[in-house]
Every structure is written in structure tokens, then in C-alpha cells.
Amino acid sequence: MSAPRTTPWPLVALFTAGYLAPYLLPTTVGRLDSGLPLSATQAGAVGSALLLSSAAAGFVLASRVERIGSRTLARFGLALALFGYGGAALTTAVPAVVAGAVLGGFGSGTATTVAATLIAGQRDPHRASTAGLLTVSALAGAVYLTVPRLGPGHGLPLAAIALTALVVWPLTGRLPDGVPAAPTRHHKARLPHARSGLVLATAMLCWSLAQNSLWGVSGRIGLDQAQLSEATVGAVFALGLGAGLTGVLAAGALGARLGRAVPIGAGTVLIAGCIALSASSTDLTSFATGEIAWNTLYPVVLSYLIGLAASLDPRGRWAVLVGSASSLGTAAGPLTGSVLSAQAGFPAMGAVLGAGLLVIALPMTAVALHTGGRPLLPGAIRRRGGHPAALVAATGTPTGTVPEIGAPEQPVVQIAVEAAAVPAQRAYDKAGSEAL
């Protein structure tokens, strides 16, 4: 009987601290616009700078977590988030706010980098990433409901991120001081699955860009095109966050029963339809349906994409690089949505984004099919190559390769062996103990 799997809650907390800033980006940018002498475009640029700084941390630190140590690097990132966001929340000087947001963004990216690296080393990366998405969705929902009741000002969402980093800091003592390595792993080993990783990173950049292109202009769609009140649009967004929690729970319950290809491919196709519906909505019903359905599906597909990236490299490098590419798409999303909607209108923007997602679904599904096979019985060979299950269970990731099904077979050479003939075996009775 196998030991029960436990959720690594310190790792989940670190994941939450790193991901909270992107989840709160709409309210952060809105508060910067209303609370400081910044235009909507300038406030959006500050938000983009925050996300770009977060992505830069991933690219810089992807291969350095083992060398520096995950606990040390996590504390460094949380400290940057605390002082960066906290400082930006306490000042009204625009240059200081921008500098604090950029510094805090690098701290968030550092925490996310460590979390992604450690998740890749878990026995069940999907379980850990699902728990992290559930926690950050719940916390972001609580912030969205609480901040408006605390009054105006740009500092409240920034302070919420800083306080989260402060709360998570004591839990870092339960993180490993390094990243466990396989016995035969070389420190400077090349990235495995290079082609699949590059395809997934590129697709994730475009996938995140499409999601945040809609998210960046959803408020304007509800107010201007659907002719809804601000209170009604806010209620729809709150319901969407609740639906996101439901989606994360569904992803956790589903687990690996369908593999990764079906949730990623089919989920992305459904998201494309939701974006097109929301962007073309002209009343409450269509707007609410599109937004809530999209918020339900988005975390489901994201959790499987995180797990897929983690499965490409047990050292977590692809998980970090793919996550950083996703952050780049997130940063460019609001600007892309604004430009497309201004040039062609909201319905055309939705059609373009939806068509792009349909195209992106193909390579992401192909990567999931190519690299997401399940281990078979001990000694068996996985489809498209892979590792025998017994070898994986005993040693982690093996260094050797296993021939792929369909690969050219080696010639079989028969070798004659001279040996004495084996005497004919006598018959035995049912007990097998005495000859008849």
C-alpha cells in the first residue's frame, strides 16, 4: 500500500505569494489611475513594468535555484516583495511608486521561480499547482471584496501583496535548503525536451496574452458595450472569481484521469468561445455567461499547463521559463486588448483572440501528447519512448534513454551454444514430490 500523498503547504503558500500580484493587477492598475496623477495608459504601463520585472526574475534565476538554495532565494524574493510593494503603498511620489512596483515585481517573480522549481520535484506536480491556484484565487477574491470597503487610495492592493509576503516568510523555514537532485544528475545538464519546451513556452506567451487582452478590457466591455452599471460589472467579476475557485476544485478532483492533452486542448477551445462571447456581449446575460464561464475554465487549463511544464524537467527549469514566458504575455495583454478594441471594436477583438487560441491549442496539445505518457508496468516501454516504471520508482529520473516504439529495431543474432542435451523430464504426480 502506497503512502498517502500530502499537500506541501509551505510550497503552496510561496506559490500564492508569488502569483498574487498578477491576480490583483486589474485593481492595482485601477487604483494607480484613480489615486495618483497618472492616466489610464500610464497606470497600465506601471502594471506592465511590474509583470515584466517578474518575468525577468524567472529568466535570470531559472538555473540558479539549486546553486543559491531554494530557502535562501525564497526569503530574498519575499523580502523584495515586502519592501517593494510596501514602500509603493506608503508613498504618493510617482517615481517611488514605480520603483517599488518594479522591485516588488522582481520579488514576486523570484518567489514564483522557487515555487515552480520545487513543484517540478514533487511526485504530483498537478496536485501542488492546483492547491496553489486554489489558494491564490481565494485570497484574491477576498481582497477584491475587502479593498473597496476600506476606502480609496492606490496603496491598498499593494499593501495586501506586501502583507502576504510577510505572512508567508515564517513558512520558508520548512522549505528545503536546496533542490533535491537525482543521483546521476549533472549540475550543468542540458535542458531535456528542448523542442517541446520551446514550443510550450512560445504557446504559453500567446495563450496568456489572449487571456489578459480580454481581462484588461472586460470592464469597458461591460460598461460601454453591454451598458451595465459599475456595480453590476463588479458583481459579475465577483461571481467569476467564485467560479474560478470551482474550476480549480474541479481540476484537483479530475487529476490525471484524462491525462493532460484533453484538458489543455479542449479547455483552450472552450476558452476561445468564451472570449468571443464576452467580447460580443450586448446585455447582462451574454456578458455574465462569457465572463463566468471563462473564469471557470481558465484556472483549470492553467493548472494542467503548469503541470506539463513541470514534467519536462525535474529540476524545474522549464517550469520557470514557461512561467516567465507566460508573464511576458500577461504584461502585453492589456495593451494588446486596448489596441485591438480601439482599432476594430470589441467583437472583432474577441474574434481575433479566439481564432488565435484555436491555433495555439494545436501545439500545446501536441506537446502534452508527446511528453505526457503514463508509465506502464515495471520494465514496460512507454509510448513514444520514456522510462520503465520500475526504474522511475527506484531512482527518480533515469539518465539513459529507452527506445521508442516504432524506432528501428536492432538485428537479432542467434548464437549457437554447445551443451549436453537435457534429459527428458519424468512425470510427476499432483503433489509434485514423487515420480510416478
Side-chain angles (χ1 to χ4, degrees):
M1 181 180 296
S2 59
R5 294 174 297 177
T6 58
T7 302
W9 290 113
L11 177 55
V12 171
L14 184 64
F15 181 100
T16 302
Y19 263 80
L20 185 60
Y23 266 68
L24 296 182
L25 189 65
T27 187
T28 301
V29 171
R31 290 285 179 133
L32 290 174
D33 179 19
S34 61
L36 295 175
L38 294 173
S39 66
T41 302
Q42 291 171 333
V46 175
S48 295
L50 185 158
L51 293 175
L52 288 173
S53 179
S54 179
F59 287 119
V60 170
L61 301 172
S63 61
R64 293 176 169 83
V65 177
E66 291 182 3
R67 188 187 317 164
I68 299 174
S70 58
R71 187 187 305 165
T72 301
L73 200 55
R75 288 175 173 174
F76 173 72
L78 292 175
L80 290 182
L82 174 62
F83 290 110
Y85 295 125
L90 295 175
T91 182
T92 56
V94 173
V97 171
V98 174
V102 172
L103 182 64
F106 196 89
S108 294
T110 302
T112 303
T113 297
V114 177
T117 303
L118 294 177
I119 285 175
Q122 296 291 308
R123 290 183 55 190
D124 191 351
H126 181 257
R127 179 185 179 90
S129 61
T130 299
L133 288 172
L134 178 63
T135 306
V136 72
S137 297
L139 180 58
V143 172
Y144 273 112
L145 293 174
T146 303
V147 165
R149 301 176 180 274
L150 299 179
H154 76 284
L156 290 174
L158 295 171
I161 307 172
L163 288 176
T164 301
L166 179 62
V167 171
V168 172
W169 173 277
L171 299 178
T172 57
R174 298 173 60 185
L175 294 175
D177 199 22
V179 177
T184 57
R185 183 181 299 157
H186 193 274
H187 180 70
K188 296 183 178 180
R190 296 178 59 184
L191 279 170
H193 302 292
R195 182 181 302 175
S196 296
L198 288 174
V199 170
L200 184 61
T202 303
M204 272 295 289
L205 189 154
C206 300
W207 189 85
S208 295
L209 186 147
Q211 313 297 322
N212 287 275
S213 293
L214 174 67
W215 186 240
V217 298
S218 287
R220 289 168 51 199
I221 293 173
L223 294 173
D224 300 337
Q225 183 171 276
Q227 297 295 309
L228 304 175
S229 67
E230 184 176 0
T232 303
V233 172
V236 171
F237 289 161
L239 289 174
L241 287 172
L245 293 176
T246 304
V248 174
L249 289 173
L254 182 62
R257 290 179 177 84
L258 298 179
R260 295 191 182 101
V262 172
I264 289 174
T268 299
V269 171
L270 292 175
I271 287 175
C274 293
I275 288 179
L277 175 61
S278 180
S280 61
S281 60
T282 57
D283 55 25
L284 175 60
T285 301
S286 56
F287 179 74
T289 301
E291 288 289 329
I292 293 174
W294 171 63
N295 276 282
T296 302
L297 294 168
Y298 168 78
V300 175
V301 179
L302 180 60
S303 68
Y304 283 96
L305 287 170
I306 293 174
L308 176 59
S311 70
L312 296 179
D313 177 24
R315 291 176 64 182
R317 291 168 295 177
W318 274 125
V320 174
L321 293 174
V322 170
S324 299
S326 176
S327 296
L328 290 178
T330 300
L335 178 60
T336 302
S338 298
V339 171
L340 285 175
S341 60
Q343 296 295 323
F346 293 121
M349 178 205 72
V352 171
L353 295 177
L357 283 175
L358 293 178
V359 174
I360 295 167
L362 297 176
M364 291 197 303
T365 305
V367 172
L369 287 172
H370 182 70
T371 62
R374 295 181 181 179
L376 304 177
L377 296 176
I381 297 177
R382 288 166 51 180
R383 183 177 179 268
R384 289 185 175 272
H387 312 309
L391 186 57
V392 174
T395 64
T397 302
T399 57
T401 58
V402 179
E404 297 184 3
I405 293 179
E409 297 182 357
Q410 298 296 325
V412 179
V413 180
Q414 294 184 354
I415 302 176
V417 178
E418 295 183 1
V422 179
Q425 192 174 24
R426 293 180 298 170
Y428 288 85
D429 62 6
K430 294 182 180 180
S433 57
E434 295 180 0
L436 292 177

